Amino acid sequence: MNSVKKIAMLIFIALPSVVCAGEAQVKWHDFNDYHDVRPSNQTKGSYHKQIAKNIDEHFAKLSEQLPKNYSLKIEVTDLDLAGDVRYGGVNEIRVVKPIHFPRIEFNYVLSNESGVVAQEDNVSLKDMGFMDKIKMGRDEAFYYEKRLLTEWFGEQILPRI
């Protein structure tokens, strides 16, 4: 009887992830054209791949909240990471201060099998008070940018479905 309860609980927990199965596609422009995506102690190419991978995965995670057959297409047109890269002797480091707030600009299209649900060009997000908020997940890469996108998704995308 105990194993039946465990199986039922697993189905109950897994069911919402099956019902919500939206997808996200992110298109990136040339990273050299973005405002601030400078690496500190990494090669440009690997750092840019790390940024794209982290943000792509974050959009994929957010899109799991979308209903089945919904698709979110994002085109990132500009990116300015929180902080600024400064010279620290031999090594460069990214120093995060309130004056260097995260900014991201993009276009998006939210659609389903019936067509376009929402679309907007030149979305500009910035969080000038990013350091005044409680930070949870200190070790997460690109935390401030992800939080900015999560807030936008919750305020702009989820209400439209």
Side-chain angles (χ1 to χ4, degrees):
M1 186 68 169
N2 196 14
S3 62
V4 172
K5 286 182 182 179
K6 287 181 183 178
I7 292 171
M9 186 60 97
L10 284 173
I11 291 172
F12 180 73
I13 291 170
L15 188 60
S17 66
V18 173
V19 173
C20 295
E23 66 176 7
Q25 298 172 2
V26 183
K27 177 183 176 187
W28 294 92
H29 289 208
D30 185 358
F31 276 85
N32 294 320
D33 295 337
Y34 292 150
H35 266 85
D36 177 23
V37 289
R38 266 183 66 199
S40 51
N41 282 327
Q42 222 172 329
T43 63
K44 274 187 178 183
S46 67
Y47 189 64
H48 294 167
K49 286 178 185 175
Q50 180 185 1
I51 293 169
K53 179 180 179 261
N54 273 273
I55 301 297
D56 289 354
E57 288 174 354
H58 190 66
F59 271 119
K61 182 179 174 184
L62 291 173
S63 69
E64 290 174 358
Q65 300 174 56
L66 296 173
K68 187 178 178 182
N69 298 323
Y70 270 72
S71 172
L72 179 63
K73 293 181 181 176
I74 303 284
E75 177 186 8
V76 180
T77 56
D78 196 12
L79 181 61
D80 188 349
L81 299 174
D84 191 32
V85 175
R86 301 289 179 174
Y87 297 104
V90 177
N91 298 322
E92 292 182 336
I93 57 172
R94 181 166 287 275
V95 178
V96 179
K97 291 185 176 183
I99 194 167
H100 303 292
F101 52 88
R103 229 178 24 84
I104 185 168
E105 294 177 3
F106 58 92
N107 307 321
Y108 79 90
V109 176
L110 176 67
S111 59
N112 61 16
E113 66 276 350
S114 301
V116 174
V117 175
Q119 178 177 354
E120 191 172 348
D121 291 335
N122 303 318
V123 175
S124 182
L125 305 178
K126 62 184 174 184
D127 187 358
M128 296 173 76
F130 74 105
M131 292 189 77
D132 297 334
K133 298 175 183 174
I134 295 173
K135 184 176 178 186
M136 301 171 79
R138 292 186 180 269
D139 296 333
E140 185 176 354
F142 311 108
Y143 172 81
Y144 297 113
E145 293 77 14
K146 289 178 183 177
R147 182 174 67 190
L148 188 61
L149 293 169
T150 300
E151 290 173 357
W152 166 81
F153 189 84
E155 293 170 4
Q156 299 296 319
I157 298 299
L158 291 180
R160 295 182 183 205
I161 54 175

